[in-house]
Amino acid sequence: MDIKNYRQKTLAKDVSYTGIGLHSGKPATVVLKPLPPDSGIIFVRADLPERTAIPARAAFVGATVRATTLCHEGREVFTVEHLLSALYITGVDNCQVELDGPEPPVADGSAMPFIELIKEAGILEQDKERAVLHIDREFAIHDGDRYIVAVPYAGQRFSFLSLNDHPLLGSQYLDIEAGRDDFAKEIAPARTIAFMHEVEGLKKMGLGLGGSADNVIVYDEERVLTPLRFDNELVRHKLLDLLGDLFLAGRFCGHIIAVKSGHALNTALAKKIAEYAKKGESGSC
């Protein structure tokens, strides 16, 4: 997906999807609606009388435990990364995401159902140029042996190294250009991964209550219990999460290099990039 020299885009019509929330375990419906140019991505809690709008921007990131949460005026939405990734991949800049609860449906644990939903709605080009930040210096977030870096690059490139102790996972590396024609099909179908030894702990924390074999790849100590779509589905899903998290900083040209990164590091980098862009210290590409 080439983001340079393009006009902004929104949906051609309203479209909806109903399923179950990954962490809440409750029925969830999302309605995607067109918005005017320069609106950005806006989440709206339709189940609340105030219908508080929560902008999908890095400044509004709250918790990052097992999902990315956005907060504004005491209201929150969580597990937004897969839907944001779908909007990023399809090139949608302006969209209202209306929820009937705090969490979108998990669908099959990937971004592909949301991409299909967006295609069903149709994508409308708008009469306004898209702003794209040019990364012209290094940004880095470190946490022990985990880190994520953004460096200058003429296009959009993502390099991710995932390291896991499980015997079937180990080291997985993916390096991919966002401008490739097959970018969506290489990333969007990759699903959330969980481990049997984590399940009880997550449920005690009130997380993963909607997880099932229909929407999560499950590993026990020695085996994978869910048929894989890719041999390296873990790192592909890590990159899927990264795309959604970084979209909170807007669209930009640069090379993202991540090692063992997750939502906390991803969104911390998004905040750094967004703050830099706000100061107007970088040109557009």
Side-chain angles (χ1 to χ4, degrees):
M1 180 188 59
D2 185 359
I3 61 171
K4 296 183 286 184
N5 304 318
Y6 274 87
R7 295 186 181 277
Q8 295 178 35
K9 295 177 180 178
T10 189
L11 302 183
K13 64 177 183 180
D14 294 5
V15 66
S16 66
Y17 183 94
T18 298
I20 191 170
L22 174 62
H23 292 300
S24 68
K26 297 178 179 178
T29 295
V30 60
V31 182
L32 305 181
K33 299 182 176 183
L35 282 180
D38 295 330
S39 297
I41 310 300
I42 305 292
F43 285 84
V44 173
R45 288 283 302 274
D47 59 316
L48 301 177
E50 301 87 351
R51 294 180 62 88
T52 300
I54 306 173
R57 296 203 296 266
F60 295 94
V61 173
T64 53
V65 179
R66 306 296 296 222
T68 296
T69 298
L70 300 175
C71 306
H72 185 46
E73 297 181 357
R75 309 301 184 188
E76 69 176 21
V77 290
F78 52 87
T79 325
V80 299
E81 58 272 11
H82 300 170
L83 182 50
L84 287 175
S85 179
L87 292 165
Y88 172 85
I89 290 171
T90 54
V92 174
D93 303 288
N94 305 298
C95 178
Q96 179 170 301
V97 181
E98 188 174 285
L99 301 174
D100 66 348
E103 185 181 30
V106 65
D108 69 351
S110 79
M112 204 65 213
F114 297 123
I115 287 179
E116 292 169 353
L117 188 69
I118 291 165
K119 289 180 177 179
E120 178 188 333
I123 299 174
L124 181 67
E125 187 175 277
Q126 298 175 292
D127 190 23
K128 191 72 179 289
E129 290 294 324
R130 169 187 285 161
V132 181
L133 175 71
H134 178 214
I135 301 294
D136 58 3
R137 48 153 286 188
E138 177 186 304
F139 298 89
I141 305 290
H142 291 83
D143 179 16
D145 64 345
R146 302 163 63 244
Y147 64 85
I148 184 168
V149 181
V151 295
Y153 190 74
Q156 296 170 288
R157 182 177 176 184
F158 300 92
S159 303
F160 202 115
L161 175 62
S162 172
L163 299 172
N164 193 284
D165 292 335
H166 194 283
L168 295 183
L169 294 171
S171 300
Q172 295 186 8
Y173 176 72
L174 185 65
D175 179 76
I176 192 167
E177 293 263 1
R180 285 173 40 169
D181 291 339
D182 61 352
F183 183 70
K185 71 177 184 179
E186 291 294 324
I187 304 301
R191 295 159 296 168
T192 297
I193 288 176
F195 300 93
M196 286 297 294
H197 68 269
E198 297 178 322
V199 171
E200 288 306 314
L202 288 172
K203 288 184 177 179
K204 288 179 181 178
M205 296 170 62
L207 300 173
L209 302 178
S212 72
D214 294 328
N215 53 44
V216 177
I217 298 172
V218 180
Y219 285 82
D220 67 11
E221 297 301 324
E222 299 179 345
R223 301 168 299 161
V224 59
L225 308 180
T226 313
L228 295 174
R229 293 175 177 172
F230 306 96
D231 290 340
N232 60 347
E233 194 157 356
L234 172 60
V235 72
R236 291 172 191 258
H237 188 79
K238 290 283 189 181
L239 182 50
L240 174 67
D241 284 345
L242 174 63
L243 295 177
D245 289 340
L246 290 185
F247 193 22
L248 296 170
R251 298 191 185 274
F252 57 86
C253 294
H255 184 183
I256 306 300
I257 304 163
V259 175
K260 299 174 65 176
S261 188
H263 297 301
L265 268 64
N266 297 347
T267 55
L269 179 65
K271 286 179 181 179
K272 269 196 173 185
I273 293 172
E275 289 167 1
Y276 184 66
K278 188 176 180 179
K279 293 177 182 179
E281 295 179 284
S282 172
S284 61
C285 58

